[in-house]
Amino acid sequence: MSYLVLARKWRPQTFDDMTGQEHVVRTIGNAIKMDRVAHAYLFCGPRGVGKTTAARLLAKALNCEQGPTANPCGTCRACTEITSGTSVDVAEIDGASNNGVENVREIRENAKYLPQRDRHKIYIIDEVHMLSGAAFNALLKTLEEPPGHVKFIFATTEAHKLPDTILSRCQRHNFRRISAARMLQRLKEICLAEKAGISEQSLSLVVRQSEGGMRDALSLLDQILASCGPDPTDEAVAEAMGAIDRTVVQDFAEALVRKDAKRVLGRVDEVFNRGLDLKRLAEELALQLRHLFVTKSLGEAPQELAESEQKALLALAKEADTAQLSRLFDIVHGCIWDVSRAAQPRLALEMALLKAIQLSPAGSIPDLLARVERLSAGLGAEGATKSTSGAPGGRSGPSNFRV
């Protein structure tokens, strides 16, 4: 039997298994329980957060032999065929490759006929925004008044490209990016089941790289296990992902805070010689400075980070000043675009980091204001002394002054 990738192996088979989309699960579950299921749904959100999975689960819930139910059995013929993609009454259509009027006309003709076996005939159209304008127009009438046995479920990452006439005929559900804490916990559970000894710091790096998409995270995890084996080191994980090692980023942040120009240039040279993306380095460093600023402001490190990273941030935050961190972040974040567009990215990054070291304020804003007030008070006292002692008898001006 061929290997099943983790993204497919761990795809949720019930609504309870879905991570981070409780608001959608609750709404759909209530609709099924109260027999208020709409004829057309639109699932929109970032990639890899569960839109197509939720569409399949809804199809199972409606066609399960024990349903309609919010908890399909997963073992009946309808459920197993929907899982394997072989159901005769549930059609999964790729909107990118079936985007013409003739494809929609075929859907309209087939929708007239009753399901061959199941309760509903369901059309799941993925990346529906890829349909042409004429195809959308051809679908309007059927979408507004479909036969009672037909349900439409659309999924898209770009809902703004859909015509208003389509949006107004669908019940829309917005899928969220999965929070870092929830994704980290889920990856720990999967690693435990897969008997993979990947550290929390490496999993935190996977979470950051996936940007809220569970499918991306599982694909990266698959890549790590294939490249490094079941017990990889943190350095091996970063190398396999083509990412910047977190210890390198932390070292950059320490050098900037401590104004160690030689250390900064040495680290840039090291990253450059390893062939890593300098734009990615600037992005990771800006994110690290953001974490450091949050730690300094709140007195605690972001919870989505590994425990070792939180301790390092707390220690460094004690050395840094908020005004200095703000200035460092502004310069590093501003150089990301310059590095990505520069003919010599290394020079652009080095000059930005040196500028961040040289121009970062030496004291906090409150300290600077206090110094200005003390100087102003001193100057005021000196001026008053001169005005009272500048003329005989305490007079402030010459006696022979005439208009």
Side-chain angles (χ1 to χ4, degrees):
M1 185 176 179
S2 61
Y3 173 70
L4 195 63
V5 297
L6 295 179
R8 294 181 60 191
K9 181 179 180 179
W10 291 96
R11 171 174 278 169
Q13 298 302 316
T14 66
F15 283 118
D16 292 337
D17 292 339
M18 292 196 66
T19 303
Q21 309 300 341
E22 290 79 7
H23 61 296
V24 176
V25 170
R26 182 176 59 252
T27 303
I28 293 176
N30 290 338
I32 294 173
K33 291 176 183 177
M34 295 186 292
D35 194 23
R36 299 180 65 90
V37 179
H39 63 272
Y41 286 91
L42 173 63
F43 295 160
C44 51
R47 69 180 189 275
V49 296
K51 300 184 297 296
T52 306
T53 296
R56 291 180 179 178
L57 292 177
L58 178 55
K60 285 185 186 180
L62 295 177
N63 281 346
C64 179
E65 291 179 1
Q66 314 204 1
T69 173
N71 299 297
C73 67
T75 57
C76 67
R77 187 175 180 183
C79 288
T80 54
E81 288 183 356
I82 291 172
T83 300
S84 61
T86 59
S87 175
V88 293
D89 292 319
V90 178
E92 290 193 34
I93 302 168
D94 176 22
S97 55
N98 299 276
N99 58 359
V101 176
E102 62 279 1
N103 303 114
V104 173
R105 286 175 180 165
E106 183 179 351
I107 294 175
R108 288 172 51 189
E109 290 300 318
N110 292 336
K112 298 176 182 178
Y113 302 105
L114 291 171
Q116 295 187 35
R117 186 196 64 224
D118 297 334
R119 193 175 293 108
H120 294 282
K121 182 173 286 189
I122 299 174
Y123 292 96
I124 301 174
I125 304 181
D126 202 6
E127 299 302 332
V128 69
H129 65 273
M130 297 295 290
L131 295 183
S132 64
F136 277 126
N137 291 333
L139 187 61
L140 286 179
K141 189 62 178 177
T142 304
L143 187 61
E144 184 174 17
E145 298 177 355
H149 59 271
V150 174
K151 303 291 183 184
F152 289 97
I153 308 175
F154 302 143
T156 179
T157 56
E158 302 183 55
H160 61 278
K161 292 186 177 181
L162 271 64
D164 292 338
T165 50
I166 295 292
L167 295 173
S168 64
R169 288 166 167 82
C170 299
Q171 188 177 111
R172 176 172 175 170
H173 293 276
N174 295 305
F175 284 64
R176 304 167 181 166
R177 295 185 188 276
I178 302 172
S179 69
R182 292 292 304 277
M183 190 181 296
L184 181 60
Q185 181 60 36
R186 182 59 177 162
L187 290 179
K188 288 180 181 179
E189 296 171 359
I190 293 174
C191 286
L192 183 63
E194 294 288 328
K195 299 180 180 179
I198 301 179
S199 71
E200 184 177 347
Q201 181 171 332
S202 293
L203 291 179
S204 297
L205 180 59
V206 172
V207 170
R208 281 192 292 273
Q209 293 286 104
S210 61
E211 298 180 344
M214 181 59 75
R215 184 179 62 219
D216 289 4
L218 292 177
S219 297
L220 287 173
L221 190 59
D222 235 335
Q223 179 179 334
I224 291 168
L225 295 177
S227 175
C228 310
D231 297 296
T233 63
D234 294 337
E235 294 78 10
V237 169
E239 189 73 26
M241 295 172 58
I244 311 294
D245 191 353
R246 296 305 302 168
T247 57
V248 173
V249 178
Q250 177 66 21
D251 196 51
F252 264 109
E254 291 178 359
L256 288 175
V257 169
R258 296 167 184 170
K259 301 184 179 181
D260 190 342
K262 183 177 181 181
R263 188 172 166 191
V264 166
L265 292 178
R267 278 300 192 179
V268 172
D269 184 65
E270 177 185 335
V271 172
F272 179 78
N273 290 333
R274 288 177 58 191
L276 299 177
D277 185 9
L278 295 182
K279 175 177 177 288
R280 186 66 185 177
L281 172 62
E283 293 172 343
E284 290 287 339
L285 184 54
L287 180 61
Q288 184 73 4
L289 292 171
R290 177 264 179 194
H291 290 333
L292 189 57
F293 195 94
V294 169
T295 304
K296 182 69 176 180
S297 301
L298 303 183
E300 59 181 16
Q303 296 301 311
E304 67 267 20
L305 299 178
E307 185 177 353
S308 59
E309 293 183 71
Q310 293 183 25
K311 290 180 180 179
L313 282 173
L314 287 169
L316 186 58
K318 294 178 182 179
E319 303 180 29
D321 178 77
T322 51
Q324 180 189 16
L325 292 177
S326 177
R327 180 67 175 172
L328 288 173
F329 175 82
D330 288 342
I331 294 177
V332 173
H333 186 263
C335 84
I336 294 175
W337 174 257
D338 295 335
V339 171
S340 65
R341 303 283 293 180
Q344 296 289 336
R346 177 178 178 176
L347 299 183
L349 180 60
E350 286 179 339
M351 292 305 298
L353 295 180
L354 291 175
K355 185 188 300 182
I357 291 174
Q358 297 299 326
L359 298 184
S360 56
S364 65
I365 298 299
D367 290 342
L368 293 176
L369 290 175
R371 290 177 60 188
V372 170
E373 289 177 357
R374 287 195 297 269
L375 289 173
S376 299
L379 291 175
E382 183 179 351
T385 303
K386 288 183 178 180
S387 65
T388 56
S389 61
R395 289 179 295 181
S396 59
S399 59
N400 59 349
F401 178 76
R402 295 179 182 177
V403 179

